[in-house]
Amino acid sequence: MKKRLACFVAAASSLLVSATHARTGFDLLIRGGEIYSGDGHAPIRGSVGIKGDRIVYVGPDRPDLRGRRVIDARGMAVLPGLIDVHSHPDTYIRAASASARLNAPWLMQGVTTVFIGVDGYGTPDVGADSRALERKGIGTNIVPYVGFGAVRHRVLGDAARAPDAEELGRMKQLVAKGMCEGAVGFSTGLFYAPQSFAKTEEVIALAREAALRGGVYDTHQRDESSYTIGLLGSVREAIRIGREAGLPVHFAHLKALGVDVQGQAPSVIAEIEKARASGLQVTADQYPWLASGSDLEASLIPRWAVDGGIAAMRKRFEDPAALERIRIEARENLRRRGGAGSILLTSEGQPWSGKRLSEMAALWRVEPVDAAIRILSQSEHSAIASFNMREDDVEAIMKRPWVVTSSDGSDGHPRQFATFPELYRTYVVDRRVISFGAFVRRSTGASAEMFRLSDRGYLRPGYFADVLVLDRARYRPRATYVAPRQLSEGVRTLIVNGKVAVDGYRMTGVAAGRALLRTTPKDSCPA
């Protein structure tokens, strides 16, 4: 009791603002909630006062506190808006519809900030893209990356070759451009073609451009399984890139994927902690699902078969010799994924939607790889949920203090609509793998610190007013693998930059999101 009281007094004294603010009143006053500031300390019961887009008071409830609007948070947890450090919200934030651009799947989880351009897909035109999104109106804040895939495609197309000196120079200029326009770092998806065609040295050369401008190296590593260099070899490659390029390394959706590497999470953790002990900043994010989300092409088709893009792949399907080679390698890829029964086909509006690959193979009376090739021949979209992770690996990674939360939210997977409540309900409430305080910390303040987001991630005076009032009794996922587009429950109130985006468990239609662009060192970019 004494320790809790001491924490309350310390927190209150450090967070209080002058009485002038209290006398003037607030635009919004959140009163009576259990306040988790994002720093991992014990909560205090009190009020949060907001003026404009900033928090100006965090401390005990007092009778002299006034607000133009008072939100009664008794029985609720009050915490910073959640931060999703790896997401794919393009279906929403780039939609023609203003209501879609509110980014409802994330808002209704309590997320106020999402990272975009991950897996190497971030445009080098960071400034223009961010301005366009803000101008149209978005519901959440965005943090952009400049992506290796977008850069490489612009210079080399989909070719499986190395750049010459002139082409590498152009690629460096594009990375520098993206960084100077405010990207948080350089993202790669070395598992995916055409990025998978690059040698490590090419990636290092481009990552240095981000390092010169204070960025982070974020990677969907080359191999999370046993496709090429193996999980541990891939972890070592990413660490080498960070060390030789001179910048922090962040592993996206860290996992041990597939039957060949299940159980290797402790070895992965040991590699990362060895690098951290040597002085390299290495961190990771994770989603709380046992099924990954991908597509049939990336999961089953060998990389040489997609040299030149999807059209070139389909032409190889028509060549009997090439097709047979593809079939042999695809069988092995399917084995490492756990077999056809582990692949759920999630693209919408198709005859195979919601069915396992094994079911379609039986229906068409063909072997599973031929069913996959048939799907890839007929459809531009082949999204899957791939059940290939083990619970002990997930929990081992989850417990590390250098791991934060991400959704990797993409179309067709429930993680897009339900990652944060899934983490809460399954791993905080049911399995008790982490505490609620750890859930808050790894979803707010730790993420903001990791990526140096200015004045975000905490409930502190002077910080931007991204605030979540959470009904812990009602907070739960509704999306499933079969019905992935179900909004989550339990967000009572959500405030984005001082504007109420969710009110009484319902969205208000307010688009208050902003592009959170980094300011690069003055001497690292052209004037």
Side-chain angles (χ1 to χ4, degrees), residues 101-115:
R101 292 196 302 273
L102 295 174
N103 211 11
W106 277 267
L107 287 181
M108 294 305 286
Q109 294 178 67
V111 174
T112 54
T113 299
V114 299
F115 283 50

Side-chain angles (χ1 to χ4, degrees), residues 84-86 115 118-119 145 184-188 215-221 235 238-239 241-242 247-254 272 276 280-286 402-406 442 446-447 449-451:
D84 186 346
V85 301
H86 187 99
F115 283 50
V118 298
D119 294 344
Y145 281 103
V184 69
F186 177 56
S187 78
T188 66
V216 66
Y217 175 67
D218 176 90
T219 185
H220 177 137
Q221 58 183 303
V235 168
I239 290 169
I241 290 167
L247 77 174
V249 175
H250 183 82
F251 286 90
H253 42 67
L254 188 63
I272 291 174
R276 287 171 58 87
L280 184 65
Q281 184 179 331
V282 187
T283 55
D285 61 69
Q286 179 197 45
W402 39 265
V403 175
V404 297
T405 308
S406 73
R442 60 176 277 154
S447 298
E449 282 183 18
M450 201 171 280
F451 295 96

Side-chain angles (χ1 to χ4, degrees), residues 259-420:
V259 296
D260 293 341
V261 299
Q262 287 172 353
Q264 288 189 14
S267 298
V268 170
I269 291 167
E271 288 286 340
I272 291 174
E273 294 190 338
K274 178 182 175 183
R276 287 171 58 87
S278 74
L280 184 65
Q281 184 179 331
V282 187
T283 55
D285 61 69
Q286 179 197 45
Y287 53 75
W289 305 91
L290 298 183
S292 63
S294 188
D295 57 60
L296 283 176
E297 174 268 306
S299 300
L300 301 186
I301 303 302
R303 289 296 171 266
W304 62 264
V306 292
D307 179 5
I310 298 300
M313 176 192 73
R314 288 177 173 164
K315 287 197 70 70
R316 293 185 180 100
F317 290 164
E318 299 170 4
D319 178 341
L323 177 60
E324 183 56 27
R325 185 181 168 196
I326 290 168
R327 292 174 77 239
I328 290 169
E329 295 188 44
R331 289 189 192 105
E332 175 63 9
N333 290 339
L334 185 58
R335 180 203 64 77
R336 61 170 48 93
R337 287 264 171 180
S342 71
I343 304 294
L344 178 68
L345 304 164
T346 60
S347 293
E348 295 183 338
Q350 301 289 349
W352 48 82
S353 300
K355 294 182 172 62
R356 303 274 175 161
L357 182 60
S358 55
E359 293 178 78
M360 296 311 300
L363 179 65
W364 289 335
R365 298 182 180 179
V366 297
E367 71 166 289
V369 295
D370 292 324
I373 289 168
R374 180 169 171 176
I375 290 169
L376 288 167
S377 299
Q378 293 180 5
S379 174
E380 294 294 326
H381 304 287
S382 60
I384 65 170
S386 180
F387 293 83
N388 44 43
M389 284 173 278
R390 212 166 72 182
E391 189 69 65
D392 57 336
D393 285 326
V394 171
E395 292 188 9
I397 292 169
M398 187 175 292
K399 294 174 182 177
R400 306 318 299 163
W402 39 265
V403 175
V404 297
T405 308
S406 73
S407 70
D408 196 17
S410 55
D411 295 344
H413 194 295
R415 65 193 185 189
Q416 186 178 65
F417 278 70
T419 282
F420 289 83

Side-chain angles (χ1 to χ4, degrees), residues 27-30 50 52-53 68-72 102 107-108 111-112 138-140 465-469 491-513:
D27 296 326
L28 288 169
L29 178 62
I30 302 168
I50 297 168
D53 63 358
R68 292 176 182 168
R69 179 181 173 189
V70 177
I71 296 171
D72 184 354
L102 295 174
L107 287 181
M108 294 305 286
V111 174
T112 54
I138 48 177
T140 57
D466 295 339
V467 185
L468 167 60
V469 180
V491 173
R492 161 83 174 276
T493 305
L494 187 66
I495 297 164
V496 182
N497 295 310
K499 304 293 185 183
V500 179
V502 177
D503 195 10
Y505 307 98
R506 296 178 181 274
M507 291 174 57
T508 64
V510 171

